Amino acid sequence: EEESEMEVEAAAAARVAAASAAAEERRECAICLDDLSAHPEARLQPRNPNGWGATHCCKSLFHYRCLHTWLNDDSEVETSRGKEKINTACPCCRERVSRSTGRMLG
């Protein structure tokens, strides 16, 4: 009985390790969830339609176009301090960021 429990635990650990390795290998845009690893040549190429990079604040991965759209959305929300722009922060860690995606991604 102990051996079968150990085998089950070992099999579960192997599945978790395999899933973790696959997730690490697959890089995706945190906004649109497209696979960035399909375009490694586009890393740090903001003029490339598939260009992508990592944020300086939390190292999350984004397409330049997705992050640009996110940061330049002029939608506002009513707060206790009056109307404020919604998208003035990193979509992942919520740290306040520059509207320039060129300065935000590295």
Side-chain angles (χ1 to χ4, degrees):
E1 210 175 293
E2 280 183 38
E3 284 183 45
S4 63
E5 271 186 50
M6 289 173 43
E7 289 173 354
V8 169
E9 287 177 17
R15 282 194 304 275
V16 168
S20 177
E24 203 170 289
E25 192 173 299
R26 180 177 166 89
R27 297 176 174 190
E28 56 187 35
C29 174
I31 294 174
C32 74
L33 305 179
D34 278 353
D35 184 6
L36 300 174
S37 59
H39 302 284
E41 76 290 347
R43 174 140 168 71
L44 302 179
Q45 301 293 320
R47 293 194 176 148
N48 183 317
N50 294 309
W52 59 277
T55 57
H56 295 295
C57 50
C58 64
K59 306 298 182 219
S60 294
L61 301 175
F62 297 96
H63 284 113
Y64 281 94
R65 69 177 184 266
C66 293
L67 191 57
H68 177 79
T69 300
W70 172 269
L71 293 174
N72 289 292
D73 180 351
D74 288 330
S75 299
E76 294 180 329
V77 65
E78 190 68 43
T79 69
S80 60
R81 297 181 300 264
K83 287 194 179 260
E84 292 189 14
K85 295 209 180 289
I86 292 175
N87 298 331
T88 58
C90 172
C92 290
C93 72
R94 306 306 297 162
E95 183 175 314
R96 215 162 183 68
V97 296
S98 164
R99 282 189 147 202
S100 168
T101 54
R103 279 186 257 149
M104 187 171 173
L105 296 178

